[in-house]
Amino acid sequence: MIFWLLLLGIFTYLIVQRSVANITRTPVWILWLVMMTPAFVWTGWILLNGESAPIPPVLVLVPFILCPVLYWLLIQWGRPAKPASAEAQPATAEAAITPSVEKRPTLRPIDKQEESMLQNCFPWSVYYLQNIEYRPQALICRGQLRTSPEVAYETIRENVEGHFGNRFLVVFQEGLNGKPFFALVPNPQLQTVNNQSGSETVSRPGLAIGLLIVTILTSTLAGALFSGVPDDGSARLTLPLFLTGLPYAIALMAVLGTHELAHYLAARFYKIRATLPYFIPVPPTNFFPFGTFGAFIQMRSPVPNRKALFDIGIAGPLAGFFIAVPVLLWGLAHSTTVPLSDESGIFNFDSLRPSLLLPALLSKLALGNALTATDAIQLHPVAIAGYLGLIVTAINLTPVGQLDGGHIVHAMFGQRVGAAIGQVARLLVLALSLVQQEFLLWAILLFFIPVVDEPALNDVSELDNKRDLWGLFALSLLVMIILPAPQVVTRILF
């Protein structure tokens, strides 16, 4: 319990610092304390009364409702006052102007001559410029779009680069009034070039390989424990016993590695500077027995357009899914059935209840008549790896903020609609956790993730129909993985 509380505390602090530290004067530690209060209350109850004692509804609902409200009020209280001449803008629009980059240099004001040059970058037949607004981190250029978004962005970007070189990044966004505007933000890569710290600092193969090796060891140990090696010290862990966990480690690393490698290759295809996949090794414990927290990559340059955002976002979940399914089928075929009991659950690998829609279909396909309505499944370690792959795919496809699913809906529907979908998705997962209580922790964590995804440079141009269909397919996968199997389906299967 303390381990999970520590993990949640670190995760929450990083999210709070990244999302609101630059828009409010309220100390980050106070905001962190407010958002962690529900977890502190619930953990305190469990430590005092034991895990078997149910938490009173008042201790669940009151902190869950009041703390987000207090969090929002503290952010508003700490906001710096805006100049009277500045046009009022909601915080989400202000915070989302600058795409994700390594650093955000202070914008050097342009003089009258440069302002005239900037106006010449906007041909009236492409984008009729009406006014320029000066912001601390951007120059906002508003006007009327006269051609397609693709032509407008490429024309104006080329004109700005012709007059100002690589001094600015050109961002094209849709305003709250539905009209697209241009924002010129300082190019953070200028400092990188000036400091001669090129791309070799982005790709660190030594670190990536080292983390990979350590994660293979911790995952192999986890696989050995899943294979039945005692973890209480009653048996000596010899090399042969240790190697019994290798199939689990290989299967899990294949699923997670393929997921992140697909992100990496897609980013490189669009010439985006990105790190190699970094695995996170964790020694297996009773609280977290899987041997790894997963893997991640970091993109160190902006995403050029919504098409690239979509391709990078969807590449990982789909690639991981297409590896996880055959891994899970093989593992299920080598698993055994056990009588269904009160302890059976969707995360009890010794007595898995196949109640989720897609896992139930795959379980029946692999086990056939050996699996009945009164049976649970004792998962083979490889099946555990494949099952975790499905869960990781579902988590990443959740359409909230900077998760892969958030990138997908942002690319499909735009930044504002994507944020609205994220709000609805968080509430739906919370409602689902009332049926599948194992999802409660994930439902809570979703409320710590900002729903507004960072914009691409050209955040106005829409996707083609083919990508829209792939996006709907990806969201359908999410529903099939986490949705409880309807009774009509279970009656047909079992």
Side-chain angles (χ1 to χ4, degrees), residues 277-480:
Y278 294 144
F279 285 88
I280 308 174
V282 178
T285 64
N286 290 331
F287 294 110
F288 196 84
F290 308 117
T292 177
F293 277 141
F296 68 95
I297 69 167
Q298 289 182 323
M299 292 190 294
R300 300 293 181 83
S301 55
V303 178
N305 48 54
R306 280 161 60 176
K307 172 182 160 185
L309 179 67
F310 179 88
D311 290 351
I312 296 170
I314 201 172
L318 288 189
F321 173 78
F322 288 127
I323 298 297
V325 168
V327 166
L328 179 58
L329 286 173
W330 188 95
L332 286 170
H334 291 78
S335 300
T336 58
T337 58
V338 295
L340 195 66
S341 67
D342 293 338
E343 296 182 356
S344 301
I346 61 174
F347 290 122
N348 185 345
F349 302 134
D350 290 326
S351 182
L352 179 78
R353 184 178 70 248
S355 58
L356 302 181
L357 180 56
L358 185 57
L361 293 172
L362 295 176
S363 298
K364 190 62 177 179
L365 179 62
L367 293 170
N369 294 331
L371 181 65
T372 67
T374 59
D375 289 330
I377 307 172
Q378 186 176 13
L379 292 181
H380 185 278
V382 172
I384 296 175
Y387 189 74
L388 290 175
L390 284 188
I391 298 301
V392 168
T393 298
I395 289 174
N396 279 282
L397 284 176
T398 309
V400 176
Q402 294 191 18
L403 296 173
D404 294 334
H407 294 326
I408 291 171
V409 295
H410 170 191
M412 291 174 64
F413 304 107
Q415 189 182 41
R416 287 186 299 147
V417 176
I421 292 174
Q423 293 280 24
V424 174
R426 296 197 296 194
L427 295 174
L428 290 177
V429 174
L430 181 61
L432 178 63
S433 68
L434 301 178
V435 180
Q436 296 285 354
Q437 296 183 358
E438 293 89 344
F439 289 138
L440 180 59
L441 178 61
W442 178 237
I444 294 172
L445 288 176
L446 286 178
F447 281 86
F448 290 90
I449 300 176
V451 293
V452 179
D453 188 22
E454 293 179 342
L457 292 180
N458 178 3
D459 210 53
V460 177
S461 298
E462 298 181 351
L463 301 180
D464 52 71
N465 292 334
K466 182 174 67 174
R467 285 183 169 83
D468 284 335
L469 289 175
W470 275 109
L472 294 176
F473 171 73
L475 296 177
S476 299
L477 279 183
L478 165 64
V479 174
M480 291 185 66

Side-chain angles (χ1 to χ4, degrees), residues 170-256:
V170 181
V171 183
F172 195 27
Q173 277 191 269
E174 188 176 87
L176 296 175
N177 57 1
K179 295 182 179 180
F181 66 92
F182 284 88
L184 273 63
V185 299
N187 188 347
Q189 295 186 10
L190 282 178
Q191 184 175 2
T192 301
V193 173
N194 293 335
N195 293 339
Q196 298 181 350
S197 59
S199 61
E200 69 274 1
T201 60
V202 174
S203 180
R204 302 170 67 182
L207 177 61
I209 294 173
L211 289 173
L212 173 63
I213 293 173
V214 176
T215 306
I216 290 175
L217 294 176
T218 56
S219 299
T220 302
L221 179 58
L225 299 179
F226 284 132
S227 299
V229 176
D231 59 352
D232 57 2
S234 60
R236 181 181 178 185
L237 186 61
T238 62
L239 180 60
L241 289 177
F242 179 75
L243 292 180
T244 60
L246 196 57
Y248 164 83
I250 293 175
L252 183 62
M253 300 291 284
V255 174
L256 300 179

Side-chain angles (χ1 to χ4, degrees), residues 69-125:
V69 173
L70 180 59
Y71 178 81
W72 182 83
L73 291 174
L74 287 172
I75 291 176
Q76 302 304 316
W77 173 73
R79 283 188 181 279
K82 293 183 179 179
S85 59
E87 181 181 351
Q89 293 275 348
T92 54
E94 286 291 323
I97 287 177
T98 308
S100 177
V101 290
E102 293 177 358
K103 292 184 179 180
R104 297 183 184 181
T106 303
L107 184 67
R108 178 167 61 86
I110 61 175
D111 54 32
K112 291 295 183 181
Q113 181 180 0
E114 289 176 325
E115 183 175 342
S116 177
M117 292 169 54
L118 178 60
Q119 291 174 345
N120 292 333
C121 295
F122 293 82
W124 70 270
S125 60

Side-chain angles (χ1 to χ4, degrees), residues 131-151:
N131 67 296
I132 301 175
E133 302 172 10
Y134 294 87
R135 302 288 175 85
Q137 286 287 346
L139 294 173
I140 309 298
C141 303
R142 301 187 185 275
Q144 295 290 333
L145 181 65
R146 298 291 185 85
T147 186
S148 67
E150 294 86 352
V151 172

